[in-house]
Every structure is written in structure tokens, then in C-alpha cells.
Amino acid sequence: MGLAGGEVTVTALTHRGAVRPANEDAVVMGALTIASANMTLPVRCVLPVSEPVILAVADGLGGHAAGEIASEHAVHRMAEMSPRLASPDDVDVLLKNIDEEIKDHATQHAEFSGMGTTVAGMLLNADGNFWFNVGDSRTYRLEGTRLRQLSQDDSPPLPPSEDGKPVTTNFITQSLGGSGATAMVPHVGRDHEPDPGTWLMCSDGLSDLVALEDMERIIAEAGSDEAAVHALWQAAMEASGRDNISILLARRI
């Protein structure tokens, strides 16, 4: 079926991990949002693309409560605006508005000073497939058995790994609400590959702990999207689970 219609199958899981007391991540799938959840099994939904569909993960920053509020606000606003997002410019404007709203909330409530959230996702509509991100949450396109990162990390370059394990940092250069006086500039681009398309979106609770080639192997060996998402979550938990973990696996057909 052509871009004008079709549907997208989305499999999602979000969990606090093995260490953190709460889950400050949130996810959005069209009009659906999941926030502050502690899922041990993924959910699967099928959404028509007869109107625009936004899919994203958000990783809240700023400590317990503050990060939760920022990520939940971001996904609720994206869900609210999803049917009206006709272009990548619309996504850019929406993310800038969310940034201002989170900053305003922090200004009015001193205990939430510095709150923010990353975001990474896809907009699927009649004109094509568009990726976007702010911060270090990621969107990958699945090409055969390989994952190709579409999003652009807002983090400083890292030294090469000496032991083969992923090298990570907790420092990011911008987020929604948490960039201070610096102007927040979203990354938004078109996925030029033709449909059907498959994308993996995740918070750094997965990508920091599980090497890219291991993620590729897990997806390739899984018998279903539910099995793949569950196995990715298990791999992050086995690699310490030191952060909240959110995963979306989406297939547009």
C-alpha cells in the first residue's frame, strides 16, 4: 500500500530498570501515551496512517518527579498534536513549543529548576517518514539485519572503547526544557528510504548498555517484535539496568 495510507505496527516497553526508584521515561504512539510505567511485557498496537502518526520515546532529566513531569508533558503534547503534524517544520515548531512550556513550568516551580527531557521518534504521514530528536535518545532504521542511526546525539564525542564495551556519557548538550539560556535546536530529517520501513526508538537505558551489534543480533534472532523488544529489555537489565529503559519497535506497512 502506498504512503497515503497503510498502517504502522508498534511494539513498546518502558521500565524503571534495575536500579532507579522510578521510571522517568515516557512513550507516545499516536494518541496513546505511557508514562511512569513499569512494564515487564511489551504492548503491541496497530495504528492507521490515514492521519499523521507520531511515535517517540522521552527520557526525563532533573531527578525524581521533575524528569517525570517533563517527559510526561512532552508525550502528552505530541499525542495531542499528532493528527495535525503535516510536515517536518510542524515537528520543529512543536518541539520548540514544548521546550518553552517546560522552561515556563520550571520557572514557576523552583523545585523543578533544571528539569528537561530528551526525545527521539518518527512522524509518519502521507508525505513520508520523518525522524526527529533532541538529546541522546535514539532512532534507528532497521535495514535487513543492520541498524542505522538516523537521530543525531546531542552529546560530546567520546574516546574509543578499549575493551569493546560501549563508551557512554551522562552529559548532553541540549534537551527539551533543560538547555538553559541556550537556544534549543531540534534535529529533524526525512527518512529517504522507501516504505515499508522499520524503526527502533530507545532511551539511552538501552543504547548505552547494549552494543549495536548485540541489538542487531537480538532483533534478527527473535521470532516476533514482542520477543525482540522483550529480549532487548532483558539484555539492558543484564548489563546492570542502571537507567530507565524505553523501547519502541515500529513497522510501517
Side-chain angles (χ1 to χ4, degrees), residues 9-13 29 42-45 225-227 229 247-250:
T9 302
V10 192
T11 307
L13 187 149
M29 301 170 282
V43 296
R44 179 178 178 272
C45 63
D225 287 356
E226 290 95 329
V229 169
I247 305 163
L248 289 183
L249 184 59

Side-chain angles (χ1 to χ4, degrees), residues 151-211:
S151 56
Q152 298 179 24
D153 292 345
D154 286 316
S155 55
L158 295 169
S161 169
E162 293 181 3
D163 58 5
K165 294 181 179 178
V167 180
T168 64
T169 177
N170 289 325
F171 180 73
I172 58 173
T173 54
Q174 65 172 4
S175 66
L176 299 180
S179 302
T182 308
M184 189 280 302
V185 181
H187 306 285
V188 186
R190 176 187 287 271
D191 184 346
H192 291 283
E193 296 299 319
D195 273 344
T198 302
W199 302 274
L200 175 71
M201 290 146 266
C202 64
S203 60
D204 64 345
L206 175 65
S207 55
D208 276 1
L209 295 179
V210 183

Side-chain angles (χ1 to χ4, degrees), residues 47-141:
L47 304 172
V49 192
S50 51
E51 64 180 24
V53 173
I54 199 164
L55 309 169
V57 300
D59 180 354
L61 314 164
H64 179 56
E68 236 168 72
I69 291 169
S71 62
E72 187 166 356
H73 177 76
V75 298
H76 281 169
R77 288 284 281 118
M78 285 188 278
E80 175 189 14
M81 295 300 294
S82 180
R84 290 176 253 175
L85 297 172
S87 71
D89 287 345
D90 292 344
V91 177
D92 183 85
V93 169
L94 173 60
L95 295 178
K96 287 174 178 173
N97 288 342
I98 294 170
D99 177 58
E100 288 299 325
E101 291 157 6
I102 294 172
K103 284 180 178 174
D104 288 347
H105 188 79
T107 301
Q108 294 163 21
H109 303 83
E111 67 272 28
F112 297 143
S113 176
M115 70 190 289
T117 183
T118 71
V119 65
M122 296 291 300
L123 168 66
L124 313 180
N125 66 20
D127 291 329
N129 307 310
F130 306 92
W131 61 267
F132 59 88
N133 78 285
V134 178
D136 59 355
S137 291
R138 290 181 176 176
T139 298
Y140 301 90
R141 181 183 177 93

Side-chain angles (χ1 to χ4, degrees), residues 1-71:
M1 195 175 289
L3 279 174
E7 59 191 27
V8 58
T9 302
V10 192
T11 307
L13 187 149
T14 180
H15 187 267
R16 67 180 178 85
V19 176
R20 298 285 176 89
N23 188 4
E24 296 183 62
D25 287 2
V27 302
V28 56
M29 301 170 282
L32 307 173
T33 63
I34 306 172
S36 304
N38 204 35
M39 303 163 60
T40 54
L41 292 172
V43 296
R44 179 178 178 272
C45 63
V46 181
L47 304 172
V49 192
S50 51
E51 64 180 24
V53 173
I54 199 164
L55 309 169
V57 300
D59 180 354
L61 314 164
H64 179 56
E68 236 168 72
I69 291 169
S71 62

Side-chain angles (χ1 to χ4, degrees), residues 220-245:
E221 292 176 356
S224 66
D225 287 356
E226 290 95 329
V229 169
H230 190 260
L232 288 168
W233 167 69
Q234 283 188 311
M237 291 290 281
E238 289 165 6
S240 82
R242 66 171 185 260
D243 201 352
N244 303 152
I245 305 159

